[in-house]
Every structure is written in C-alpha cells, then in structure tokens.
Amino acid sequence: MTSATTSALEVEETAEALSGYRRKAFALAGAGVAALVLAFGAGELLGEPWASQAAALLSVIGILSLGAGTGSWVIARRMRRALGAGAWSVHPAVAIGDGRTATTVVLRSPDRSEAWPLTVIATRQRYELVRPGPDGVLWWCGDPRVGGVLAPPGGGELIWAKPVRGGHVRRRVVARAEAEGLMHRATPRQPGSRVPGPVPGPVPGPDQATDVDSVRGREGVQGPEGVQEPEGVQEPEGVQERAVQGPEGVQEPEAVQDAARPEPAGPTYAELFEHARRQAGPRGGRAPRPERDPREVPWWRVRSLRRVAGAHRVLIALGFCAAVGAVTLTGPPKEDALKLYAAGALVLGALVYSCHQLLTTGRPAVRALVRAVTGSVHVRRRYTLLYDPRGGAPVLVLFPMYGGWDARPEAVLRLIPPGPPKQPRRGLPAEPAGSVELHGWRDVTADERPIVVAWIDGRPHWPAGPYQEADGPEFAALLDRLAPPLEAQAS
C-alpha cells in the first residue's frame, strides 16, 4: 500500500480476505444443512439399526457445521462494518499465554499512553496466522472498547477481537504485556507513511570488503563470523550479462553475481540484524540427533528428507490399514461390520492419496534438493534469520558476502522448520546471523526461480520454496512483515 486509505476495505488483500471468509462461512452452513437433510432421510426412509446410528451422527455433524457457519457469517458482518468504517493502523503487539493456549493479544495505543487487551475470537489454527512475533506488530481496525479486526502486516488474514472483560483480568493482562517491554518498543510506521531509504551504491568488491567481524553494532553486538572466502570455496568464474557459467554447463542465476547484480533496496543489514537478535529465542529440547550426509547416501536414508518427501504419512496410513485388516480377520460382530468397512475405506483412501503425493510431489522435490546439495556450484552469502509472523516459519534474508552494515538484502530463502511440531525451531542455526553456503542453481521452478539448499554449521537446511530475489512489491511486503519498519525508538 503506497498511500493512505480512508477505508481498510480499499486494501486489496483485505477485501479478498473478507470475501474468502464469507465464502467459507456460507460453505460451512450449507454443509450443515446438507448433513441434516441426509440425517432426516436416513432416519425416515431406512429402518435398519445402522441407519438410525448414521442419522444420529449426521445430525450432530450438521448441527455443529450449521452453528459454526452461522457464527462465522455474523462475525463476517461485524468485520465488514468495522473495516468499512475505519482505516488500518499499525501497533506493537504482545501475545499473552504460552505457545499452545494464548487467546489474548495486547496492543499499544499510537500515543503510547495505554494498552488495549483484546480477546481473539478464532480457532486455534486461524489464531496462529496473526500471532505476533518477538518484536512483531499487528494491524488493527476498530474500536478497542467495542471490538475490531486484527491482521498480520499486509491485511491478508482477518481475525475478530473484542475487549477483555473484567477490570482485574485487564490489569493482569496489561501488566504481563508491560513486563515484556510492550510500552518501550519502537513505534512502527503506519501504512502508507513509509519513507523510502537511500538508494545504495554498488556492492563493494573484494578490495573494498568490510570485515564485519571487526564491526560492532549497537550495544556492542558483534557481527557474524566467516566473511573471508576460504581457499576451497570460490565464486564461479565467467561472468555474463544474465548468468554465471558453472561447471558442466550449469547456468547460475543473476543473484550470485557481484559485478552485475542490480542495486537492491530495503532495510539495511544492521536493521535486520537487530530484528534477528530480538527474534532469536530458545530452540527448545535437546539438539537433534545426527543424520546421514545426503551427499553420501540415498535420500531415503536421510531422516529429514524422508519427512520432506512425505514418507512418514505413507507409513502412518499403512499402520492404520494393518490395524483395520487385523480387526477384520478377527471376525467383528455383524452390527459393527458397516463401521469397520467405512473405516477401512477411509484408511485405504488415505494410503492411496499419500502414496500418490509421495510419487508425484515428494520424490521429485527431494531429488531436486539432492541434486542441489551434491552439485559443484555453491556461493557464500551473509544471512539474518527471521521468522514469518504468519505461522512462525524461519526465513533467511541474504546479503552480499562483502559489504558493511549498510548492505541491502538481495534475496530471501524460506526454510522448512527442522524440529517437531511442538518445537519447530529445534535444529535451526544457533546464531541469528552468520554466513551460509548456497548449493544448487541447477533446477528452477516454473517461474524461473532457482532451487538452492542452505548449508550452515556443517548441515543442510532444506528450503520451503525457491530462492526469491529482491524484486517487486512482493519482496518488500515480505520484509515489512518479517521486520516491521520503525519510526522512532520509544524511551
């Protein structure tokens, strides 16, 4: 959004999100009505005992779906009124509670005079879409005394929130937010008020390289190590206008060039380093178990690659099929035969689907990653490790290897969280910034984005998407979401 708006619905992402929310509400209500009709038909037209049981189950499903759809439709109407009557504003935010049960968000008012405790009205899955990060902000549209709409930066996901009731509860929630430093956070820039940063000059060459190991940022924070190229790692030779010619005819994309790289824009390395330092949190649990080197063994012998391919889903479906088959062989009672056959059909369908996904999506993706990590083309870059507030996925923001604290990002690489669902950060790099080797550049996606694998601290970190260069508004919006731009530091 490049200019101020008078209504939040003028933001394209917001209008699309509201339209999608309403469609889901109508679909859920329609499914509930259909389930109730089927339940009535099964109970009236069929006199079998199993028919009455099926009718009861369908009735419960129909009532729940109809109720959820009606409630979502009411919330959609409230959202439309709030979004049509006001514009988005950006606020520092704190989530209150642990990672599994938090349903309260506290926003700081624009003048820093008060905090607004809000109760989130959403399912657990949708709440994760707007959970603020360690230094996160949220967009708000509404009246904190009545209720309004929360959204992550960009306005693409909408959540209804209402004020926390009860004076004692409000004071306790606000006190917890203040203890986490909410009132002393920097003030975020409002939508449409961002002042573009200075256009940087050419990226320094090796003779102008700044050894960031000798540069210290604010509060005496030392820069990442390892900015000098070791003898065994060199940039590919043969610079061309659009590509670098690698071994065996491999075309390396424009992003790996230092001489012909376009001038990037966006926040500086120093700014993103501070964001990464604040966002760095405990990895949780013990270190992950060592696994086989994917450069030396087939991919199915590497635990993390089996997970990427989806082999674990096939094994789970096989286990359920075996369990249903074992029960079938024992000769279940006649009245339970229909339920058993239905369960068997479901798990068999799940097995077929998971096998299809493994063969058509998982295995080709893993093979591309193996080709990337075993290829001879690799370059070094600096990185800062940030986390997407939409789900908390890790993202590497990449910078030229030789440059100072004023260097601008040249690309981002989304990573697959290496840890288990309850501790997704376990196994990520220990430091919020450092140097990374990018292996690959052989395969590209349909939109010509290269597939690369990040190698940090002696182990690979598998990408969740292709290498995304610093081009277009999508890249700028992603950086704003990862590291919200600030106006001034609160005292």
Side-chain angles (χ1 to χ4, degrees), residues 252-436:
E252 192 169 7
E254 184 180 12
V256 303
Q257 302 176 39
D258 283 333
R261 184 184 298 110
E263 294 182 354
T268 64
Y269 176 77
E271 294 170 343
L272 295 185
F273 181 84
E274 288 297 323
H275 278 283
R277 196 167 59 86
R278 286 193 297 269
Q279 293 184 19
R283 298 293 181 259
R286 61 182 183 274
R289 292 185 292 113
E291 60 180 9
R292 304 299 296 271
D293 191 329
R295 299 170 297 185
E296 300 175 354
V297 298
W299 69 265
W300 59 83
R301 298 182 62 184
V302 182
R303 184 176 62 256
S304 57
L305 285 179
R306 292 197 300 268
R307 177 185 172 194
V308 172
H312 63 291
R313 290 190 289 268
V314 175
L315 295 177
I316 293 173
L318 277 173
F320 276 104
C321 284
V324 172
V327 174
T328 303
L329 292 177
T330 60
K334 185 178 180 179
E335 59 271 14
D336 295 334
L338 180 63
K339 298 178 182 178
L340 185 61
Y341 294 152
L346 288 176
V347 297
L348 186 60
L351 176 62
V352 172
Y353 176 78
S354 57
C355 289
H356 178 267
Q357 289 294 103
L358 173 65
L359 296 176
T360 61
T361 303
R363 188 175 64 170
V366 166
R367 285 182 170 179
L369 296 180
V370 172
R371 285 194 298 268
V373 81
T374 56
S376 58
V377 177
H378 55 278
V379 297
R380 298 193 71 196
R381 291 290 180 262
R382 289 182 296 167
Y383 75 85
T384 57
L385 178 60
L386 301 174
Y387 297 91
D388 194 335
R390 298 181 184 176
V395 180
L396 293 180
V397 184
L398 303 168
F399 297 82
M401 193 64 197
Y402 297 106
W405 290 94
D406 293 332
R408 306 281 172 164
E410 66 178 22
V412 296
L413 184 65
R414 303 171 188 266
L415 301 180
I416 297 174
K422 291 185 178 181
Q423 296 174 336
R425 294 191 181 187
R426 198 174 79 184
L428 287 173
E431 299 298 330
S435 61
V436 55

Side-chain angles (χ1 to χ4, degrees), residues 94-343:
V94 169
I96 301 300
D98 59 39
R100 295 177 297 276
T101 61
T103 56
T104 301
V105 170
V106 182
L107 306 181
R108 192 187 70 194
S109 62
D111 58 2
R112 307 191 189 119
S113 62
E114 59 180 343
W116 302 337
L118 302 168
T119 299
V120 175
I121 309 300
T123 62
R124 177 64 191 167
Q125 291 76 13
R126 297 198 67 249
Y127 171 64
E128 283 299 326
L129 298 175
V130 300
R131 175 184 288 276
D135 64 342
V137 300
L138 289 177
W139 286 19
W140 166 258
C141 181
D143 186 344
R145 299 167 299 179
V146 179
V149 184
L150 289 171
E157 298 288 347
L158 307 179
I159 299 291
W160 182 258
K162 63 180 183 180
V164 174
R165 303 299 181 186
H168 174 71
V169 177
R170 291 175 62 87
R171 288 190 296 271
R172 178 168 54 85
V173 169
V174 170
R176 291 187 59 182
E178 292 176 346
E180 296 189 23
L182 175 65
M183 308 307 290
H184 300 282
R185 287 188 183 176
T187 300
R189 291 195 181 113
Q190 298 301 312
S193 66
R194 181 171 184 176
V195 180
V199 177
V203 177
D207 57 334
Q208 301 171 289
T210 301
D211 187 353
V212 296
D213 202 24
S214 63
V215 180
R216 292 181 178 270
R218 293 184 290 275
E219 303 179 17
V221 178
Q222 190 169 353
E225 300 178 356
V227 298
Q228 298 294 336
E229 289 279 357
E231 294 183 3
V233 180
Q234 298 181 351
E235 297 285 350
E237 300 179 355
V239 178
Q240 301 175 357
E241 181 180 2
R242 286 290 301 172
V244 175
Q245 184 71 29
E248 301 176 0
V250 176
Q251 292 285 325
E252 192 169 7
E254 184 180 12
V256 303
Q257 302 176 39
D258 283 333
R261 184 184 298 110
E263 294 182 354
T268 64
Y269 176 77
E271 294 170 343
L272 295 185
F273 181 84
E274 288 297 323
H275 278 283
R277 196 167 59 86
R278 286 193 297 269
Q279 293 184 19
R283 298 293 181 259
R286 61 182 183 274
R289 292 185 292 113
E291 60 180 9
R292 304 299 296 271
D293 191 329
R295 299 170 297 185
E296 300 175 354
V297 298
W299 69 265
W300 59 83
R301 298 182 62 184
V302 182
R303 184 176 62 256
S304 57
L305 285 179
R306 292 197 300 268
R307 177 185 172 194
V308 172
H312 63 291
R313 290 190 289 268
V314 175
L315 295 177
I316 293 173
L318 277 173
F320 276 104
C321 284
V324 172
V327 174
T328 303
L329 292 177
T330 60
K334 185 178 180 179
E335 59 271 14
D336 295 334
L338 180 63
K339 298 178 182 178
L340 185 61
Y341 294 152

